[in-house]
Amino acid sequence: MAPNWKRAIIVGASGGIGEQIARKLASGGCRVALVGRREDKLRQIAVDINGVSLNLALPFPSDVRDFDAPAAKVEECVRALGGLDLVVYSAGVMPRIGPTEYETAKDRLIVETNLIGAMAWLNPVAKRFERAGGGTIVGIGSVSGDRGRRGNPAYSASKAGLECYLESLRNRLGRRGVSVVTVKPGPVETEMTRELGRLPGMIPAGRAADLILKAARKFGKTAYIPGRWWLASKIMLSIPSRIFRRLPL
Ligand SMILES: NC(=O)c1ccc[n+]([C@@H]2O[C@H](COP(=O)([O-])OP(=O)(O)OC[C@H]3O[C@@H](n4cnc5c(N)ncnc54)[C@H](OP(=O)(O)O)[C@@H]3O)[C@@H](O)[C@H]2O)c1
């Protein structure tokens, strides 16, 4: 049976895909805790969702690189929402990396935001859902995590690591009734990709959010967003390294 989420935490809800997911969940009556660093953006989105009388969206400003915060923050969100059914980890960064740039500070920012922040938020959620015997966790990987691309080594590595971490969570929690879903979008029009212009196969953030929520309704799934990236990825994975390294990716 498809889950009927009533209370959700969206980490990375102040823009892009996370914001769209929060708006779509709220439009179906789900209460949403909005997490991100930009408090003004979170408040503005909450006001917009709530209109004059509803109390569906609640802002919870937090930096995912503050790794000690989530245990208490998750509890705070759960108290305010009146329970918890779904958590989407959509926080992420992809700073531009030059072709001859090797900058540990940037790599650290990427890995801490995209991977360790996810672990810090999803560990207390996993514990809670395991105890409750149910719940849905959604993590946003990327087609970029399928292979070690030249363009942004740390970003590819962070997404490959996130996918592996989510698979481990799925293998632990699936038998306890908890669904862990990995979604792997191709290019999506958001702040993250603004400077890159129009990329092949790019879709609007609202469309990505619809497809992600559809995939999240299927228990313990890994899904490419949109589905055509599954075939593209199979082809990409079959390319020998000596050819792959010449591709402008
Ligand atoms: N756009 C694409 O083409 C694409 C493709 C595949 C996968 N993805 C993945 O999809 C996810 C969402 O990306 P997007 O395109 O929606 O990017 P976006 O528009 O730049 O939004 C990123 C979100 O992450 C939050 N965030 C970043 N650093 C944070 C921090 N330290 N603490 C808390 N929140 C933080 C931002 O909020 P604050 O700035 O307010 O903190 C914002 O809400 C990311 O994981 C990205 O890697 C995107």
Side-chain angles (χ1 to χ4, degrees):
M1 202 171 69
N4 180 20
W5 303 304
K6 292 284 176 213
R7 297 138 319 176
I9 299 175
I10 315 298
V11 186
S14 52
I17 298 170
E19 175 185 347
Q20 291 302 318
I21 289 175
R23 287 181 182 277
K24 284 174 195 290
L25 285 167
S27 72
C30 179
R31 300 193 82 198
V32 285
L34 311 173
V35 180
R37 286 166 304 179
R38 287 168 295 169
E39 188 169 355
D40 53 334
K41 283 284 289 174
L42 296 176
R43 289 198 180 283
Q44 188 190 316
I45 293 164
V47 166
D48 203 28
I49 289 175
N50 293 334
V52 280
S53 59
L54 296 175
N55 192 23
L56 286 172
L58 305 158
F60 287 91
S62 191
D63 186 332
V64 298
R65 296 173 78 204
D66 181 359
F67 306 124
D68 294 329
K73 276 277 170 197
V74 167
E75 288 312 308
E76 209 186 312
C77 293
V78 170
R79 269 196 305 279
L81 294 170
L84 188 64
D85 309 302
L86 166 70
V87 175
V88 180
Y89 190 88
S90 187
V93 290
M94 189 182 70
R96 301 289 89 80
I97 309 280
T100 57
E101 185 180 2
Y102 300 92
E103 182 58 64
T104 306
K106 272 193 192 174
D107 291 351
R108 180 177 171 174
L109 169 73
I110 295 168
V111 173
E112 288 188 351
T113 309
N114 300 3
L115 179 58
I116 305 185
M119 292 172 173
W121 272 85
L122 297 182
N123 282 335
V125 170
K127 206 185 279 183
R128 163 171 281 279
F129 281 170
E130 186 171 55
R131 255 196 331 260
T136 305
I137 291 172
V138 179
I140 308 196
S142 168
V143 293
S144 302
D146 281 344
R147 290 202 71 165
R149 296 178 176 215
R150 270 199 276 154
N152 195 328
Y155 185 77
S156 286
S158 72
K159 291 300 180 181
L162 178 65
E163 189 175 351
C164 193
Y165 168 72
L166 292 168
E167 184 184 14
S168 296
L169 275 194
R170 181 178 309 123
N171 293 342
R172 281 183 163 212
L173 296 172
R175 71 193 77 177
R176 308 300 296 267
V178 181
S179 173
V180 180
V181 174
T182 308
V183 292
K184 301 172 69 163
V188 180
E189 285 165 28
T190 66
E191 194 69 43
M192 184 177 274
T193 50
R194 187 147 300 152
E195 287 172 19
L196 303 176
R198 181 98 212 138
L199 299 170
M202 196 169 221
I203 59 170
R207 169 100 180 110
D210 281 331
L211 293 171
I212 288 168
L213 288 172
K214 189 171 169 208
R217 291 202 160 81
K218 306 213 172 111
F219 193 91
K221 198 179 156 66
T222 295
Y224 284 90
I225 305 292
R228 60 175 174 268
W229 284 103
W230 178 83
L231 182 60
S233 169
K234 288 277 167 248
I235 294 167
M236 199 95 89
L237 285 164
S238 73
I239 299 173
S241 278
R242 65 181 185 285
I243 298 173
F244 187 76
R245 71 178 66 117
R246 296 201 180 95
L247 300 180
L249 293 168

